Amino acid sequence: GALTGSVVLSLGLGLTLLVTIASIDGNLRRQLVEALPNEAPSFFFLDLRNEEMPAFSEFLAQEAPTAKVESVPMLRGRLVSLKGVPAGEVQAAPEARWALSGDRGITYSAEVPENSRLVEGEWWPADYSGPPLVSFEAEVGRGLGLAIGDKVRVNVLGREVEVTVANFREVQWESLAINFVMVFSPNTFAGAPHTVLATLSWPELPPAETEYTLMRELSAQFPTVTIVRVREALGRVADILGQLMAAIRAASAIALAASVLVLAGALAAGHSQRLYDAVILKTLGATRARLVAAFGLEYALIGLATAIFGVAAGALAAWGVIAGIMDQPYRFLFGTSALAAVGAVAATVVLGLAGTWRLLGRKAAPVLRNL
């Protein structure tokens, strides 16, 4: 006859939504605001001509001597056909279909790129000179229906090149290091004109003014180079994410408020039962303090059951979104969950005792005569 079922379903579902939203928000913010800036390069440099690279490297060595500079050749290529099937007719998985639309950034390398790990096949030797080979990012390659040994045609600089899939790589895109979906063996584009994609990373994140000063000097020395400040880009993403999550939190707050109203209705529905219990116990000699303690303990236990249900269900839902859908590392946010649990217990106890307090002042005789 307790109110456990109705309270858990009303307040528990609202609490589940709140914990889910807060956990998703907290994990995404931790990834974007805390983790990525510490791991990501400070700058990306695009449209850097190959002949500019010596002067560019010398300039950075003087202006940012402690920074680490990495560079790779970069071309633009478009997949023309896969296993003899035109790209427009390939039945690709939804998560890989984007690789068939338009030009893609490509590169060539004698070694496995950093933040990549071979998961199938073998890498080519450093002095490889055989038929052209290509390495695909594993999820995209398999999503396109490719396997080791398949033939792929790529249009680069107006010339179509047929290459063989040599291996699949798992790429840690969240590191924001230089990486590509397709990496070719160096002999594939020997002598072809290309630009350079470079990054700059400091051992420790410098003040923003240091980055702005370097940007101004680089723009003056190399006006054709496109400079992307990673911290600024991540800040804009974090701002957009914050606005989105604020709107979602507002919607979830309305749902939580509705669940509190449902909770109040459930407690009101049990008014006659609590009145009966209070009158009988007072007749048997229970004091008001004893009754308040008994009812408070009951509501606290119901609130605790609701909190356990809401936190567990909300954390599970958030894990499904972060790890399952977004493919990002998930961390249980103990502080957020504990705050939500305390709020659920407090709401149940306060609303419960608020309705019960008036009942404890009722005289027993009139109630007993009408039982």
mmCIF file of all heavy atoms in Angstrom, residues 239-264:
data_model
loop_
_atom_site.group_PDB
_atom_site.id
_atom_site.type_symbol
_atom_site.label_atom_id
_atom_site.label_comp_id
_atom_site.label_asym_id
_atom_site.label_seq_id
_atom_site.Cartn_x
_atom_site.Cartn_y
_atom_site.Cartn_z
ATOM 1 N N ASP A 239 30.831 26.672 -27.373
ATOM 2 C CA ASP A 239 29.750 27.652 -27.202
ATOM 3 C C ASP A 239 28.450 27.147 -27.837
ATOM 4 O O ASP A 239 27.368 27.271 -27.249
ATOM 5 C CB ASP A 239 30.151 28.987 -27.830
ATOM 6 C CG ASP A 239 31.235 29.694 -27.030
ATOM 7 O OD1 ASP A 239 31.426 29.337 -25.851
ATOM 8 O OD2 ASP A 239 31.914 30.576 -27.601
ATOM 9 N N ILE A 240 28.573 26.608 -29.049
ATOM 10 C CA ILE A 240 27.384 26.071 -29.719
ATOM 11 C C ILE A 240 26.801 24.919 -28.914
ATOM 12 O O ILE A 240 25.582 24.811 -28.724
ATOM 13 C CB ILE A 240 27.739 25.614 -31.146
ATOM 14 C CG1 ILE A 240 28.139 26.822 -31.999
ATOM 15 C CG2 ILE A 240 26.570 24.883 -31.794
ATOM 16 C CD1 ILE A 240 28.673 26.465 -33.364
ATOM 17 N N LEU A 241 27.693 24.044 -28.423
ATOM 18 C CA LEU A 241 27.242 22.925 -27.597
ATOM 19 C C LEU A 241 26.549 23.430 -26.337
ATOM 20 O O LEU A 241 25.518 22.900 -25.930
ATOM 21 C CB LEU A 241 28.431 22.040 -27.229
ATOM 22 C CG LEU A 241 28.140 20.877 -26.274
ATOM 23 C CD1 LEU A 241 27.204 19.875 -26.924
ATOM 24 C CD2 LEU A 241 29.435 20.204 -25.839
ATOM 25 N N GLY A 242 27.106 24.489 -25.721
ATOM 26 C CA GLY A 242 26.507 25.041 -24.512
ATOM 27 C C GLY A 242 25.104 25.572 -24.761
ATOM 28 O O GLY A 242 24.203 25.364 -23.952
ATOM 29 N N GLN A 243 24.911 26.268 -25.890
ATOM 30 C CA GLN A 243 23.588 26.792 -26.217
ATOM 31 C C GLN A 243 22.603 25.658 -26.466
ATOM 32 O O GLN A 243 21.446 25.709 -26.028
ATOM 33 C CB GLN A 243 23.681 27.685 -27.452
ATOM 34 C CG GLN A 243 24.518 28.944 -27.232
ATOM 35 C CD GLN A 243 24.768 29.702 -28.518
ATOM 36 O OE1 GLN A 243 24.160 29.415 -29.543
ATOM 37 N NE2 GLN A 243 25.680 30.664 -28.482
ATOM 38 N N LEU A 244 23.066 24.624 -27.179
ATOM 39 C CA LEU A 244 22.198 23.480 -27.455
ATOM 40 C C LEU A 244 21.796 22.776 -26.164
ATOM 41 O O LEU A 244 20.614 22.469 -25.939
ATOM 42 C CB LEU A 244 22.914 22.505 -28.394
ATOM 43 C CG LEU A 244 22.193 21.190 -28.693
ATOM 44 C CD1 LEU A 244 20.886 21.458 -29.418
ATOM 45 C CD2 LEU A 244 23.080 20.272 -29.525
ATOM 46 N N MET A 245 22.774 22.524 -25.290
ATOM 47 C CA MET A 245 22.484 21.815 -24.057
ATOM 48 C C MET A 245 21.636 22.665 -23.115
ATOM 49 O O MET A 245 20.836 22.134 -22.346
ATOM 50 C CB MET A 245 23.787 21.402 -23.359
ATOM 51 C CG MET A 245 24.648 20.424 -24.160
ATOM 52 S SD MET A 245 23.765 18.957 -24.740
ATOM 53 C CE MET A 245 23.321 18.193 -23.194
ATOM 54 N N ALA A 246 21.797 23.997 -23.160
ATOM 55 C CA ALA A 246 20.954 24.860 -22.329
ATOM 56 C C ALA A 246 19.492 24.729 -22.741
ATOM 57 O O ALA A 246 18.595 24.667 -21.890
ATOM 58 C CB ALA A 246 21.413 26.314 -22.453
ATOM 59 N N ALA A 247 19.250 24.663 -24.051
ATOM 60 C CA ALA A 247 17.877 24.496 -24.521
ATOM 61 C C ALA A 247 17.318 23.138 -24.109
ATOM 62 O O ALA A 247 16.163 23.025 -23.686
ATOM 63 C CB ALA A 247 17.835 24.646 -26.042
ATOM 64 N N ILE A 248 18.156 22.108 -24.215
ATOM 65 C CA ILE A 248 17.700 20.766 -23.833
ATOM 66 C C ILE A 248 17.459 20.697 -22.328
ATOM 67 O O ILE A 248 16.484 20.089 -21.866
ATOM 68 C CB ILE A 248 18.732 19.710 -24.277
ATOM 69 C CG1 ILE A 248 18.823 19.680 -25.808
ATOM 70 C CG2 ILE A 248 18.354 18.329 -23.750
ATOM 71 C CD1 ILE A 248 19.877 18.752 -26.333
ATOM 72 N N ARG A 249 18.328 21.342 -21.539
ATOM 73 C CA ARG A 249 18.150 21.343 -20.088
ATOM 74 C C ARG A 249 16.865 22.070 -19.701
ATOM 75 O O ARG A 249 16.177 21.682 -18.756
ATOM 76 C CB ARG A 249 19.351 21.993 -19.404
ATOM 77 C CG ARG A 249 20.550 21.069 -19.280
ATOM 78 C CD ARG A 249 21.531 21.607 -18.255
ATOM 79 N NE ARG A 249 22.029 22.904 -18.640
ATOM 80 C CZ ARG A 249 23.116 23.104 -19.372
ATOM 81 N NH1 ARG A 249 23.807 22.063 -19.816
ATOM 82 N NH2 ARG A 249 23.520 24.317 -19.679
ATOM 83 N N ALA A 250 16.536 23.147 -20.442
ATOM 84 C CA ALA A 250 15.296 23.868 -20.157
ATOM 85 C C ALA A 250 14.093 22.957 -20.402
ATOM 86 O O ALA A 250 13.150 22.924 -19.605
ATOM 87 C CB ALA A 250 15.209 25.117 -21.028
ATOM 88 N N ALA A 251 14.151 22.198 -21.506
ATOM 89 C CA ALA A 251 13.054 21.267 -21.796
ATOM 90 C C ALA A 251 12.970 20.174 -20.738
ATOM 91 O O ALA A 251 11.877 19.790 -20.298
ATOM 92 C CB ALA A 251 13.238 20.663 -23.182
ATOM 93 N N SER A 252 14.131 19.667 -20.307
ATOM 94 C CA SER A 252 14.125 18.623 -19.288
ATOM 95 C C SER A 252 13.662 19.168 -17.940
ATOM 96 O O SER A 252 13.042 18.449 -17.150
ATOM 97 C CB SER A 252 15.527 18.012 -19.147
ATOM 98 O OG SER A 252 16.450 18.959 -18.645
ATOM 99 N N ALA A 253 13.947 20.439 -17.670
ATOM 100 C CA ALA A 253 13.467 21.040 -16.420
ATOM 101 C C ALA A 253 11.943 21.104 -16.404
ATOM 102 O O ALA A 253 11.311 20.899 -15.357
ATOM 103 C CB ALA A 253 14.055 22.446 -16.255
ATOM 104 N N ILE A 254 11.343 21.393 -17.563
ATOM 105 C CA ILE A 254 9.877 21.397 -17.642
ATOM 106 C C ILE A 254 9.337 19.993 -17.368
ATOM 107 O O ILE A 254 8.355 19.810 -16.637
ATOM 108 C CB ILE A 254 9.436 21.897 -19.031
ATOM 109 C CG1 ILE A 254 9.837 23.363 -19.216
ATOM 110 C CG2 ILE A 254 7.931 21.732 -19.212
ATOM 111 C CD1 ILE A 254 9.574 23.903 -20.604
ATOM 112 N N ALA A 255 10.010 18.990 -17.946
ATOM 113 C CA ALA A 255 9.584 17.605 -17.708
ATOM 114 C C ALA A 255 9.729 17.235 -16.233
ATOM 115 O O ALA A 255 8.877 16.549 -15.656
ATOM 116 C CB ALA A 255 10.400 16.654 -18.582
ATOM 117 N N LEU A 256 10.827 17.717 -15.605
ATOM 118 C CA LEU A 256 11.034 17.424 -14.190
ATOM 119 C C LEU A 256 9.979 18.123 -13.333
ATOM 120 O O LEU A 256 9.465 17.537 -12.369
ATOM 121 C CB LEU A 256 12.436 17.865 -13.773
ATOM 122 C CG LEU A 256 12.850 17.530 -12.342
ATOM 123 C CD1 LEU A 256 12.871 16.018 -12.138
ATOM 124 C CD2 LEU A 256 14.206 18.127 -12.008
ATOM 125 N N ALA A 257 9.650 19.355 -13.698
ATOM 126 C CA ALA A 257 8.606 20.064 -12.953
ATOM 127 C C ALA A 257 7.271 19.343 -13.065
ATOM 128 O O ALA A 257 6.519 19.227 -12.082
ATOM 129 C CB ALA A 257 8.487 21.496 -13.476
ATOM 130 N N ALA A 258 6.980 18.840 -14.259
ATOM 131 C CA ALA A 258 5.743 18.079 -14.440
ATOM 132 C C ALA A 258 5.742 16.820 -13.580
ATOM 133 O O ALA A 258 4.713 16.436 -13.000
ATOM 134 C CB ALA A 258 5.557 17.725 -15.910
ATOM 135 N N SER A 259 6.918 16.169 -13.488
ATOM 136 C CA SER A 259 6.991 14.948 -12.679
ATOM 137 C C SER A 259 6.808 15.266 -11.196
ATOM 138 O O SER A 259 6.244 14.458 -10.449
ATOM 139 C CB SER A 259 8.333 14.249 -12.910
ATOM 140 O OG SER A 259 9.413 15.007 -12.391
ATOM 141 N N VAL A 260 7.282 16.434 -10.752
ATOM 142 C CA VAL A 260 7.069 16.833 -9.352
ATOM 143 C C VAL A 260 5.583 17.063 -9.089
ATOM 144 O O VAL A 260 5.055 16.707 -8.028
ATOM 145 C CB VAL A 260 7.891 18.094 -9.029
ATOM 146 C CG1 VAL A 260 7.520 18.643 -7.658
ATOM 147 C CG2 VAL A 260 9.377 17.782 -9.072
ATOM 148 N N LEU A 261 4.883 17.644 -10.053
ATOM 149 C CA LEU A 261 3.433 17.837 -9.901
ATOM 150 C C LEU A 261 2.712 16.497 -9.831
ATOM 151 O O LEU A 261 1.772 16.316 -9.045
ATOM 152 C CB LEU A 261 2.892 18.670 -11.067
ATOM 153 C CG LEU A 261 3.357 20.137 -11.122
ATOM 154 C CD1 LEU A 261 2.812 20.822 -12.361
ATOM 155 C CD2 LEU A 261 2.931 20.882 -9.862
ATOM 156 N N VAL A 262 3.170 15.550 -10.667
ATOM 157 C CA VAL A 262 2.585 14.204 -10.610
ATOM 158 C C VAL A 262 2.859 13.573 -9.249
ATOM 159 O O VAL A 262 2.004 12.896 -8.664
ATOM 160 C CB VAL A 262 3.125 13.332 -11.753
ATOM 161 C CG1 VAL A 262 2.637 11.890 -11.616
ATOM 162 C CG2 VAL A 262 2.712 13.895 -13.096
ATOM 163 N N LEU A 263 4.094 13.799 -8.734
ATOM 164 C CA LEU A 263 4.441 13.288 -7.411
ATOM 165 C C LEU A 263 3.507 13.883 -6.348
ATOM 166 O O LEU A 263 3.018 13.157 -5.472
ATOM 167 C CB LEU A 263 5.893 13.627 -7.089
ATOM 168 C CG LEU A 263 6.359 13.396 -5.652
ATOM 169 C CD1 LEU A 263 6.248 11.920 -5.293
ATOM 170 C CD2 LEU A 263 7.783 13.894 -5.454
ATOM 171 N N ALA A 264 3.269 15.192 -6.436
ATOM 172 C CA ALA A 264 2.371 15.828 -5.462
ATOM 173 C C ALA A 264 0.972 15.234 -5.555
ATOM 174 O O ALA A 264 0.309 15.005 -4.538
ATOM 175 C CB ALA A 264 2.332 17.334 -5.712
#
